[in-house]
């Protein structure tokens, strides 16, 4: 049984980069081939043994709640028509033993604020945070499972990181600190969206965290930071003064599905691995003669 039982999905962001698609549809419901981004995230959590999914939703995100709810009409219809395989796909969105909790974030005050709202649902235990825009693929062991293993060894917060080019530092939380093991560094500096000149390294935070519950007190004291929002990164900088925090360079491939190019890359690569589509799609790409 995993020592981390809860995953928090902060999904209240407006998704302006995908307008008009995201005018009425949550950006996390955009699908890669045939599955919405949010479900790739929930499956990564489930693969790691997590059994409680906490979604922090905004006003336009009812489609996310519907997706993780029972779909009586659809399920009855599919059962009546004997479409057992499709019924299973629908029912497997929330597997047996997994509970979903939905919490409204009344104002878009940032990632830190969203995580703070999860406190009552999380309790006094370590928990995962997954930003579904960051789709991370690893066929053998998901990113959150890898990070829980690090947590179980060090009993401290773990942040998922990857190397980025210095021109991109303004898009990420950036961390720096001494390497202590393969893929693992101790965080000494952590700053949200610095300019290349101010970035402490080229190690960027991606949307995966394992956090100790001590973060909640820090979040409550955190004032608005970059972009006028309450930043999780700023609360982590405070937490670091009291507890060690580790940066883990995960094994796997990340697609930034919050950007159009990353979304398209994920779509093409997932289609090329899809059971039913791969062959036809490969043929199609070949005849495009790019
Ligand atoms: C958030 C975090 C940032 C992190 C990024 C990863 O930023 O605040 O530290 O690097 O996610 O995707 P956002 O992309 O929500 O602006």
């Amino acid at each position: 049984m995993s020592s981390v039982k809860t995953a928090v999905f902060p999904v209240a962001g407006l998704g302006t980069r995908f307008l008009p698609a995201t005018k009425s549809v949550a950006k996390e419901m955009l699908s890669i081939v045939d599955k919405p981004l949010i479900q790739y995230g929930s499956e990564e959590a489930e693969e790691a043994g997590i059994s409680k999914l906490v979604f922090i939703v905004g006003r336009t995100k009812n489609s996310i709640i519907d997706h993780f709810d029972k779909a009586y009409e659809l399920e009855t219809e599919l059962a009546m028509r004997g479409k057992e395989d499709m019924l299973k796909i629908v029912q497997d969105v929330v597997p047996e033993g997994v509970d979903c909790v939905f919490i409204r974030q009344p104002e878009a005050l940032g990632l830190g604020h969203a995580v703070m709202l999860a406190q009552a649902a999380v309790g006094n235990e370590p928990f995962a945070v997954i930003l579904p825009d960051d789709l991370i693929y690893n066929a053998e062991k998901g990113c959150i499972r890898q990070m829980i293993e690090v947590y179980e060894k060090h009993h401290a917060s773990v942040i998922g990181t990857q190397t980025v080019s210095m021109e991109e530092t303004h898009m990420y939380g950036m961390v720096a600190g001494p390497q202590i093991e393969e893929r693992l560094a101790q965080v000494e500096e952590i700053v949200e969206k610095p300019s290349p000149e101010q970035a402490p390294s080229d190690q960027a935070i991606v949307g995966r965290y394992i956090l100790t519950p001590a973060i909640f007190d820090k979040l409550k004291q955190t004032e608005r930071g970059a972009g006028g929002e309450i930043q999780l990164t700023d609360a982590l900088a405070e937490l670091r003064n009291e507890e060690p925090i580790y940066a883990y360079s995960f094994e796997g491939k990340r697609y930034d599905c919050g950007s159009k190019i990353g979304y398209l890359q994920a779509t093409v690569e997932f289609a090329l691995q899809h059971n039913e589509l791969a062959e036809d799609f490969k043929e199609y790409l070949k005849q495009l003669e790019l």
Side-chain angles (χ1 to χ4, degrees):
M1 176 110 182
S2 169
S3 58
V4 177
K5 298 181 195 74
T6 307
V8 175
F9 296 85
V11 287
L14 293 176
T16 48
R17 282 195 275 175
F18 278 89
L19 282 169
T22 48
K23 187 180 169 198
S24 65
V25 174
K27 64 174 170 166
E28 298 81 7
M29 286 302 292
L30 297 178
S31 76
I32 302 295
V33 186
D34 50 12
K35 198 190 289 179
L37 276 171
I38 185 82
Q39 193 178 333
Y40 287 96
S42 65
E43 289 178 359
E44 185 183 324
E46 289 150 13
E47 188 248 356
I50 284 172
S51 56
K52 190 193 230 182
L53 312 179
V54 180
F55 300 89
I56 311 297
V57 295
R59 268 184 291 285
T60 58
K61 305 294 178 123
N62 288 346
S63 53
I64 295 178
I65 303 178
D66 290 341
H67 189 70
F68 289 91
D69 194 1
K70 200 165 168 61
Y72 280 106
E73 291 90 345
L74 178 61
E75 289 180 34
T76 310
E77 196 69 30
L78 291 172
M80 264 165 45
R81 295 190 196 174
K83 303 221 183 260
E84 296 301 327
D85 46 348
M86 287 183 197
L87 182 60
K88 185 166 164 25
I89 290 174
V90 171
Q91 290 175 336
D92 281 353
V93 173
V94 184
E96 279 287 314
V98 172
D99 290 324
C100 297
V101 176
F102 301 94
I103 295 170
R104 273 275 174 93
Q105 184 180 21
E107 284 176 274
L109 292 178
L111 176 59
H113 180 251
V115 172
M116 191 164 71
L117 294 177
Q119 182 172 20
V122 167
N124 195 28
E125 289 185 14
F127 62 103
V129 175
I130 298 179
L131 310 186
D133 288 3
D134 281 328
L135 176 54
I136 300 182
Y137 179 74
N138 183 319
E140 267 112 62
K141 195 188 279 185
C143 182
I144 283 292
R145 185 141 73 95
Q146 297 171 39
M147 289 172 62
I148 290 177
E149 287 179 3
V150 177
Y151 172 81
E152 286 174 346
K153 190 164 167 205
H154 294 276
H155 294 281
S157 296
V158 186
I159 304 171
T161 57
Q162 76 171 35
T163 306
V164 296
S165 72
M166 290 311 280
E167 294 88 74
E168 293 177 307
T169 61
H170 67 284
M171 293 158 58
Y172 296 95
M174 302 298 297
V175 301
Q179 190 89 13
I180 58 160
E181 279 173 24
E182 203 195 342
R183 298 191 170 274
L184 200 66
Q186 182 153 355
V187 174
E188 278 188 353
E189 285 179 78
I190 172 166
V191 43
E192 181 68 6
K193 305 201 171 101
S195 63
E197 299 74 42
Q198 277 160 350
S201 78
D202 58 359
Q203 294 304 300
I205 303 175
V206 296
R208 299 291 183 278
Y209 308 79
I210 305 292
L211 301 175
T212 63
I215 195 69
F216 291 120
D217 279 345
K218 297 297 167 208
L219 283 167
K220 281 177 209 153
Q221 292 155 20
T222 301
E223 297 188 353
R224 292 181 188 224
E229 297 186 336
I230 296 173
Q231 296 292 350
L232 179 57
T233 303
D234 294 345
L236 284 164
E238 287 301 318
L239 184 64
R240 200 202 63 78
N241 295 326
E242 285 164 26
E243 298 182 0
I245 297 179
Y246 296 96
Y248 174 69
S249 165
F250 63 89
E251 277 180 78
K253 181 158 182 185
R254 164 185 175 255
Y255 301 88
D256 174 12
C257 293
S259 76
K260 287 175 192 161
I261 188 75
Y263 180 80
L264 287 171
Q265 287 162 352
T267 302
V268 170
E269 291 187 32
F270 278 61
L272 285 171
Q273 288 180 29
H274 194 281
N275 286 344
E276 292 155 27
L277 294 173
E279 286 315 310
D280 289 350
F281 190 52
K282 219 175 277 170
E283 283 310 309
Y284 169 72
L285 290 180
K286 267 189 215 149
Q287 59 92 34
L288 279 182
E289 289 173 3
L290 297 170

